[in-house]
Amino acid sequence: MVSTFTHEFNTPVYKGRASFSTGLYINGKFVEGSDKTTIDVINPSTGKVITKVAEATAKDVDIAVDAAQKAFETTWGLNSGGAERSKLLGKLARLMEEHQQELAALEALDNGKTFTWAMNADTAVAIDTIRYYAGWADKIHGQVQETDEKKLTYSRHEPIGVVGQIIPWNFPLLMMAWKLGPALATGNCIVLKPSEFTPLTAIRMCELIHQAGFPPGVFNLLTGYGSTVGAAIASHMKIEKIAFTGSTMVGRKIMEAAAKSNLKNVTLELGGKNPNIIFNDADLDQAVNWAAHGSYWNHGQACTAGSRIYVQSGVYDEFLAKFTEKVRSLKVGDPFAVDSYQGPQASKVQYDRIMNFIQSGKDQGATVHLGGDRNGTEGYYINPTIFTNTTPNMKIVQEEIFGPVGVVIKFDDEEDVIRQANDTVFGLAAAVFSQNITRAITTAHRLKAGTAWINCVNQIHSNVPFGGFKQSGIGRELGEYALHNYTAVKAVQVNLGYVM
Amino acid sequence: MVYTAKIPVPASNKEISVSTGLFINNEFVSSVDSSEVIQCFNPATEEVIASVVAGSSKDIDVAVAAARQAFKTTWGKNVTGWERSRLINKLADLIERDSQELAELETLNNGKPVAVARDFDIGDSIQCLRYYAGWADKITGQTIEVDNKNKMAFTRHEPIGVCGQIIPWNYPINMWAWKVAPALAVGCTIVMKPSELTPLTALKLSELVVEAGFPPGVINTVPSLGNVGGAALSAHLDVDKIAFTGSTITGRKIMEAAAKSNLKKVSLELGGKSPQLIFESADLQQAAAWTALGICYNTGQDCTAGSRVYVQDSVYDKFIDVLVSTVKETVIGNGFDKNTGGGPLVSKAQFDRVWGYIDAGKAEGAKVVLGGERRNTKGYFVDPTIFTDINSEMKIVKEEIFGPVLSIGRFKTEEEAIALANNTTYGLGAGLHSTDASQCMRVSGLLEAGTVWVNQYNMLSNNVPFGGKKQSGIGRELGSYALEEYTSIKAVHWNIGEKLQWPL
């Protein structure tokens, strides 16, 4: 029996009611998991259970894949025209916009980010992303290549088929939009596993997808654990492609499983330990504000977090003083309070992880310049933290913390800081601050990162590609580039005159 | 003083109100210096249904100034692709909401059947707007590797600027959408001159432009006589680009005026004398159906009308039989009559023109196998007329008639067919019917036309480009290609490391 989750929001920033099914969404219906077990959804502000949702098993993955396969062969895939897919995605965007506040509230409740950020960033950009890809759906072009008069040669960009998508808990709805948009625009059918920590907005989206009119089986949602459902998707023989956003560690497992099963196509968006380089000739006040945004936005739970801040010695002291004041002013509090900047971390697991890193920083001899402790006694709140006086081999300098922890490092030499910035297995993003635009551009071009921000940090646009170098990932999301992840190129060669 | 016309819809209690002023800066205004009006007729009844303000060349100046101001302040580079996308989508939604009323207005002024206007003309227009709304946030340039140490080079695809757009009377709403959508998507502002025969729906659509939320001056609508407003736009020194759909004769004048004034960019969609080839392996029933569509759709008032058909000798007699009985089923009548397949011709001038050609066909010795007889009723109705026994020198074979008048010839070999098909200064469309795939490939490769239909005719899609070779036009509409017509490329060479010694 599938239950309904009902929640009354009565907060200073949002009053409203959410009420929706908590089942798996397969073939257009909400159903229980095959084992009829459930997963607790925890409110990270309090540590208490919000509700239970159905738990999927490997068997449910099979059922969902079959439904997706059937839809691909009948109502979707090459049986659906681009204009139709465009229309449905446009409808979905409109429905998300109608329910934007509710979605933002659910996101804040489930993930712990503030309602204000969820409205202005997460949901707004998610809607924009769906709309952006709605516009691509009828523009999937192949090429005609000139060979000679005896041949007609052309390429078709066909949908791949059934694709598996696994998304993380840090931007649940936004990551879902990044995955849905290009996959549906190009005609694929989806089996998606949201994070077991933050399933609520994904489940809410199923009703909107249904209302928008996507045929049953085109989109399927399986709430479940990585080690069961995620693993089953990664090694499924009938899933032709997997897209994963999450940790580098899990990304490796997924790629391995893909290789061992059916060599399915793999795209990965993994971690980062992103450098933010501030030169003496930076606009310092701006650099301070952007650096704070880089390290503390989303409670530091961003793969692009600018967690290593390199400041040139000429402005180091001034930067640190201003930066400390800025970070000190960030208000930690309830996600639904009017003036909160930062809510709790998303889960106990994350909370423990971050506190362990902070402890390691202390143990390895770094200076806790600000924070470094828990905030309050209930929920997973951590005070924004600044470390200084680090050495390059410290854990807090090498490894991805994924929390509100910034490391500020002094540097002198331009060549050396570029070398230090690139001295990491990661390569997701980097930022450069300098008013000398030539210097900024040439530095940015030398940084080994999939996104190089100049005089800004952590800005995303739906039409600009995003992804990692090195161990930060494979492939690109957003922009036209994302379409390549979800199309299979078929070259057709028509012989008009060669005689064998 | 600016009036609103109230036009009654036949067989109903409804009235459609249309603002009849010039639409400039989001307002309907009088002419600044003229009291001329343009009368709008219902071609089924020959009666005047409304009068609209006739724009003068001074009014064009005012409209261009408004478009320029908007381009410099609220549009052009001052508006994001996402905002343009949002507004164009909103406009599409509003047109969808009002599609029945817009269809009735289109029928009142143009004559085509209401259901066709609503489901095809307007349906396609809505899709066209949505298609280009989807492009608005996808206008990308290139980054180009020149020399990584010293230079960064990239292109920006910028909007051209103020665009004059002149559209015809055969598909008033659809031609409006084809012009407006890509121009807006890329960030251009517009001065639109609808046909003086059919300005009413363009004015009605202007009301929706305001409702959608476009800033003032982004789209301006100035009904005007061709040799007044059209000429003024073509010669205007502050118009960056002109896009015209209409006759080849007028197209020449526009290009000349552009050359003589400020070398504004020119794109033209002109006439056609498009051929269809029926090969012996063709499915004759299907070929006849597509041929009928090709010459009867929109009562033959289509730039791609398949007005010449050449049939292979071996199937000639059979095909003529099938074709005549197929075309005979066509019902030409009042657009508000549900049984009507095609409406009247749009005006007395067109009516006289088409009859002039039918009479010439008879005089030059072609044989009438269907139609060719005048009706003795009100309205500019012309029934489908088919001529056989033609030769290449006849007027009806060489010149664009723009009515439901078909000339049928014959051929023996494929080479002969292609030669006959290409023997024209036009090059807009062409069709071929054959079940021999290699033949389809060969022939489609050799036909000199901007669109070649294989086993089909006249079906277009918003995402497939359309335009003419030879004297049928310059440039392409629809698809991603239309964006190029409204984009101006700027190449940026950014020196990041080179120090120059002078003298070298």
Side-chain angles (χ1 to χ4, degrees):
Chain A
M1 224 210 63
V2 180
S3 61
T4 303
F5 167 57
T6 303
H7 188 91
E8 291 290 341
F9 289 96
N10 190 5
T11 74
V13 291
Y14 175 67
K15 296 191 196 325
R17 185 170 196 265
S19 180
F20 54 92
S21 170
T22 58
L24 313 176
Y25 180 72
I26 302 179
N27 215 15
K29 292 195 176 62
F30 285 100
V31 294
E32 290 184 289
S34 296
D35 285 358
K36 300 200 194 309
T37 47
T38 59
I39 299 177
D40 286 344
V41 181
I42 310 284
N43 180 347
S45 304
T46 59
K48 302 203 170 56
V49 174
I50 305 172
T51 186
K52 295 176 190 303
V53 299
E55 181 189 357
T57 66
K59 181 138 185 284
D60 296 307
V61 177
D62 288 337
I63 296 171
V65 170
D66 283 346
Q69 187 72 40
K70 179 119 182 287
F72 187 71
E73 284 159 10
T74 56
T75 56
W76 204 243
L78 293 171
N79 306 297
S80 68
E84 192 207 333
R85 301 196 298 269
S86 179
K87 191 162 150 223
L88 294 178
L89 280 164
K91 184 94 203 277
L92 178 60
R94 244 171 270 155
L95 287 168
M96 287 169 73
E97 203 169 31
E98 270 171 45
H99 296 273
Q100 188 178 359
Q101 291 201 315
E102 183 197 337
L103 287 166
L106 286 168
E107 196 84 307
L109 179 69
D110 199 3
N111 163 283
K113 64 182 73 206
T114 65
F115 174 82
T116 306
W117 275 114
M119 271 299 287
N120 297 337
D122 299 56
T123 53
V125 180
I127 291 165
D128 188 61
T129 303
I130 297 290
R131 216 174 252 142
Y132 174 77
Y133 283 103
W136 269 122
D138 54 2
K139 302 172 178 62
I140 311 300
H141 302 156
Q143 290 181 354
V144 175
Q145 300 90 7
E146 293 299 323
T147 50
D148 63 40
E149 279 310 296
K150 296 208 200 65
K151 244 2 210 310
L152 170 67
T153 52
Y154 59 93
S155 55
R156 286 166 59 93
H157 289 203
E158 302 184 342
I160 291 177
V162 179
V163 304
Q165 302 184 320
I166 301 175
I167 57 175
W169 48 261
N170 59 343
F171 296 95
L173 185 68
L174 183 58
M175 292 297 100
M176 188 178 184
W178 282 24
K179 296 281 183 286
L180 285 197
L184 292 176
T186 46
N188 296 279
C189 292
I190 300 171
V191 175
L192 188 143
K193 185 195 97 57
S195 166
E196 56 269 33
F197 292 104
T198 53
L200 293 184
T201 45
I203 299 173
R204 183 70 184 92
M205 279 286 280
C206 294
E207 272 190 20
L208 301 184
I209 290 168
H210 198 86
Q211 245 185 294
F214 286 89
V218 170
F219 176 79
N220 305 277
L221 188 85
L222 300 177
T223 40
Y225 292 101
S227 54
T228 53
V229 177
I233 291 174
S235 51
H236 207 284
M237 295 303 286
K238 291 202 211 149
I239 291 179
E240 299 284 338
K241 187 261 170 1
I242 188 154
F244 168 79
T245 298
S247 69
T248 296
M249 191 184 74
V250 177
R252 288 177 185 282
K253 291 189 192 161
I254 297 216
M255 193 168 170
E256 212 181 304
K260 285 180 165 160
S261 56
N262 64 348
L263 279 170
K264 56 174 65 60
N265 186 299
V266 177
T267 48
L268 306 171
E269 290 280 356
L270 308 175
K273 189 68 183 179
N274 311 294
N276 184 345
I277 302 173
I278 299 170
F279 285 106
N280 285 337
D281 57 4
D283 175 337
L284 205 64
D285 289 336
Q286 278 296 290
V288 165
N289 291 344
W290 285 109
H293 181 61
S295 291
Y296 303 99
W297 174 51
N298 212 45
H299 324 178
Q301 299 170 135
C303 44
T304 51
S307 43
R308 291 183 288 152
I309 305 168
Y310 294 95
V311 185
Q312 204 162 26
S313 51
V315 293
Y316 180 87
D317 291 336
E318 196 188 341
F319 174 86
L320 186 59
K322 287 181 168 169
F323 184 64
T324 307
E325 276 322 294
K326 177 81 197 178
V327 177
R328 207 194 297 272
S329 76
L330 301 174
K331 185 140 195 312
V332 178
D334 183 89
F336 292 94
V338 168
D339 54 355
S340 293
Y341 171 87
Q342 176 183 314
Q345 304 308 122
S347 69
K348 176 118 191 14
V349 170
Q350 287 306 312
Y351 173 87
D352 289 341
R353 225 181 103 90
I354 298 161
M355 294 306 278
N356 281 339
F357 272 112
I358 292 175
Q359 189 57 47
S360 83
K362 294 172 182 172
D363 292 345
Q364 290 188 306
T367 304
V368 178
H369 188 81
L370 183 73
D373 53 356
R374 188 183 189 184
N375 180 300
T377 52
E378 199 193 38
Y380 314 128
Y381 293 85
I382 298 178
N383 282 316
T385 298
I386 302 175
F387 276 104
T388 55
N389 298 323
T390 58
T391 55
N393 59 339
M394 290 181 180
K395 279 172 70 109
I396 55 172
V397 180
Q398 291 281 322
E399 297 176 37
E400 187 180 36
I401 300 173
F402 232 66
V405 181
V407 175
V408 183
I409 303 167
K410 192 193 291 197
F411 78 92
D412 268 304
D413 177 54
E414 192 172 325
E415 282 303 306
D416 189 53
V417 79
I418 293 173
R419 186 199 56 77
Q420 281 190 67
N422 287 335
D423 185 19
T424 163
V425 300
F426 294 113
L428 191 58
V432 181
F433 284 82
S434 167
Q435 291 296 92
N436 177 336
I437 200 68
T438 296
R439 177 189 218 178
I441 288 178
T442 47
T443 304
H445 287 190
R446 293 176 65 191
L447 291 168
K448 297 203 177 100
T451 297
W453 282 295
I454 294 179
N455 294 330
C456 60
V457 185
N458 268 350
Q459 286 202 310
I460 297 288
H461 308 278
S462 307
N463 57 352
V464 178
F466 177 88
F469 282 30
K470 296 153 63 172
Q471 292 183 33
S472 285
I474 293 174
R476 289 294 174 269
E477 296 197 274
L478 300 184
E480 185 181 355
Y481 295 77
L483 302 174
H484 301 314
N485 300 334
Y486 294 99
T487 47
V489 178
K490 173 188 289 168
V492 181
Q493 301 196 24
V494 186
N495 181 9
L496 306 171
Y498 282 104
V499 178
M500 194 45 156
Chain B
M1 205 187 137
V2 177
Y3 293 99
T4 304
K6 291 206 193 298
I7 308 171
V9 178
S12 80
N13 295 325
K14 283 193 293 183
E15 255 186 356
I16 302 178
S17 71
V18 184
S19 305
T20 57
L22 307 176
F23 179 71
I24 300 177
N25 259 340
N26 274 9
E27 283 177 342
F28 289 93
V29 297
S30 317
S31 163
V32 293
D33 64 348
S34 158
S35 54
E36 299 285 313
V37 295
I38 292 171
Q39 291 192 310
C40 306
F41 290 83
N42 177 341
T45 63
E46 303 183 21
E47 285 162 6
V48 175
I49 52 175
S51 295
V52 304
V53 172
S56 67
S57 65
K58 273 244 158 40
D59 294 314
I60 294 289
D61 288 339
V62 174
V64 169
R68 175 63 61 196
Q69 183 62 13
F71 186 72
K72 288 200 306 206
T73 58
T74 57
W75 205 247
K77 295 183 198 177
N78 307 295
V79 66
T80 61
W82 307 293
E83 177 66 1
R84 299 195 300 267
S85 179
R86 190 185 69 81
L87 289 171
I88 299 171
N89 266 321
K90 188 80 214 273
L91 182 58
D93 290 346
L94 295 174
I95 294 174
E96 193 170 42
R97 181 194 69 190
D98 294 350
S99 56
Q100 179 65 26
E101 187 176 75
L102 284 163
E104 288 161 355
L105 186 60
E106 188 87 312
T107 299
L108 280 163
N109 200 190
N110 164 284
K112 66 180 71 200
V114 175
V116 170
R118 184 192 57 226
D119 300 338
F120 295 115
D121 294 52
I122 293 171
D124 285 348
S125 300
I126 294 164
Q127 292 313 324
C128 181
L129 285 161
R130 290 192 174 132
Y131 174 78
Y132 284 103
W135 270 122
D137 55 3
K138 301 172 179 62
I139 310 300
T140 52
Q142 295 179 359
T143 57
I144 303 159
E145 190 177 317
V146 175
D147 160 351
N148 276 309
K149 273 203 178 53
N150 293 322
K151 182 176 275 198
M152 195 169 86
F154 58 95
T155 58
R156 300 189 66 148
H157 287 209
E158 305 182 333
I160 287 182
V162 174
C163 301
Q165 301 187 320
I166 302 173
I167 56 175
W169 47 258
N170 57 345
Y171 296 94
I173 295 177
N174 212 357
M175 292 297 98
W176 187 92
W178 281 25
K179 293 277 183 288
V180 156
L184 292 177
V186 167
C188 292
T189 55
I190 298 166
V191 176
M192 162 75 70
K193 188 201 94 58
S195 166
E196 52 268 43
L197 293 176
T198 53
L200 297 177
T201 44
L203 289 168
K204 193 76 179 143
L205 289 166
S206 300
E207 293 171 21
L208 298 183
V209 165
V210 178
E211 194 183 339
F214 284 89
V218 171
I219 304 175
N220 306 277
T221 308
V222 183
S224 179
L225 298 180
N227 58 6
V228 175
L233 273 175
S234 313
H236 208 286
L237 293 176
D238 201 24
V239 169
D240 301 301
K241 187 249 168 32
I242 189 136
F244 168 78
T245 297
S247 70
T248 297
I249 283 181
T250 307
R252 289 177 186 281
K253 291 187 195 161
I254 291 190
M255 193 167 169
E256 212 181 306
K260 285 179 166 162
S261 55
N262 64 345
L263 281 169
K264 55 173 63 61
K265 312 293 168 284
V266 176
S267 55
L268 305 170
E269 291 281 355
L270 307 176
K273 192 69 184 180
S274 305
Q276 293 212 56
L277 302 175
I278 318 290
F279 289 95
E280 62 191 3
S281 68
D283 175 337
L284 292 185
Q285 191 65 55
Q286 276 297 290
W290 290 111
T291 301
L293 174 81
I295 194 57
C296 297
Y297 189 73
N298 216 42
T299 317
Q301 301 171 115
D302 190 308
C303 46
T304 50
S307 49
R308 292 182 295 144
V309 168
Y310 298 99
V311 188
Q312 198 151 28
D313 269 336
S314 42
V315 293
Y316 180 86
D317 291 329
K318 181 130 187 279
F319 180 77
I320 297 290
D321 276 342
V322 179
L323 180 66
V324 169
S325 44
T326 305
V327 174
K328 249 197 182 116
E329 302 297 309
T330 312
V331 177
I332 301 291
N334 188 305
F336 285 94
D337 181 340
K338 284 197 176 55
N339 297 320
T340 296
L345 297 183
V346 77
S347 69
K348 176 109 182 37
Q350 287 303 113
F351 181 81
D352 289 341
R353 218 183 110 92
V354 171
W355 272 109
Y357 278 108
I358 295 176
D359 291 338
K362 292 175 184 173
E364 286 184 311
K367 180 168 155 214
V368 178
V369 297
L370 182 70
E373 296 300 318
R374 287 172 193 268
R375 293 192 193 183
N376 289 317
T377 56
K378 243 189 167 16
Y380 310 126
F381 298 101
V382 178
D383 292 299
T385 299
I386 302 180
F387 283 100
T388 60
D389 295 357
I390 59 169
N391 65 57
S392 308
E393 295 311 304
M394 292 176 175
K395 279 173 69 116
I396 55 168
V397 179
K398 288 169 71 146
E399 297 176 31
E400 186 180 35
I401 300 173
F402 231 68
V405 180
L406 179 64
S407 300
I408 307 188
R410 53 201 304 162
F411 66 88
K412 250 204 194 55
T413 65
E414 184 181 295
E415 288 71 23
E416 203 188 325
I418 292 169
L420 283 166
N422 288 340
N423 181 20
T424 166
T425 54
Y426 291 114
L428 193 56
L432 71 103
H433 301 266
S434 163
T435 51
D436 175 344
S438 295
Q439 180 172 58
C440 291
M441 217 50 250
R442 277 193 310 272
V443 176
S444 63
L446 291 168
L447 286 169
E448 289 163 3
T451 298
V452 175
W453 283 282
V454 179
N455 292 321
Q456 186 176 72
Y457 202 73
N458 251 355
M459 303 298 259
L460 296 178
S461 300
N462 285 309
N463 57 354
V464 180
F466 175 86
K469 288 184 186 263
K470 295 156 60 173
Q471 293 184 31
S472 284
I474 294 174
R476 289 293 175 269
E477 298 198 270
L478 300 185
S480 62
Y481 297 75
L483 301 172
E484 293 169 25
E485 306 295 341
Y486 293 98
T487 306
S488 170
I489 312 292
K490 174 187 288 170
V492 179
H493 297 249
W494 193 317
N495 182 5
I496 53 176
E498 185 179 346
K499 297 256 180 278
L500 186 67
Q501 289 263 49
W502 186 261
L504 298 172

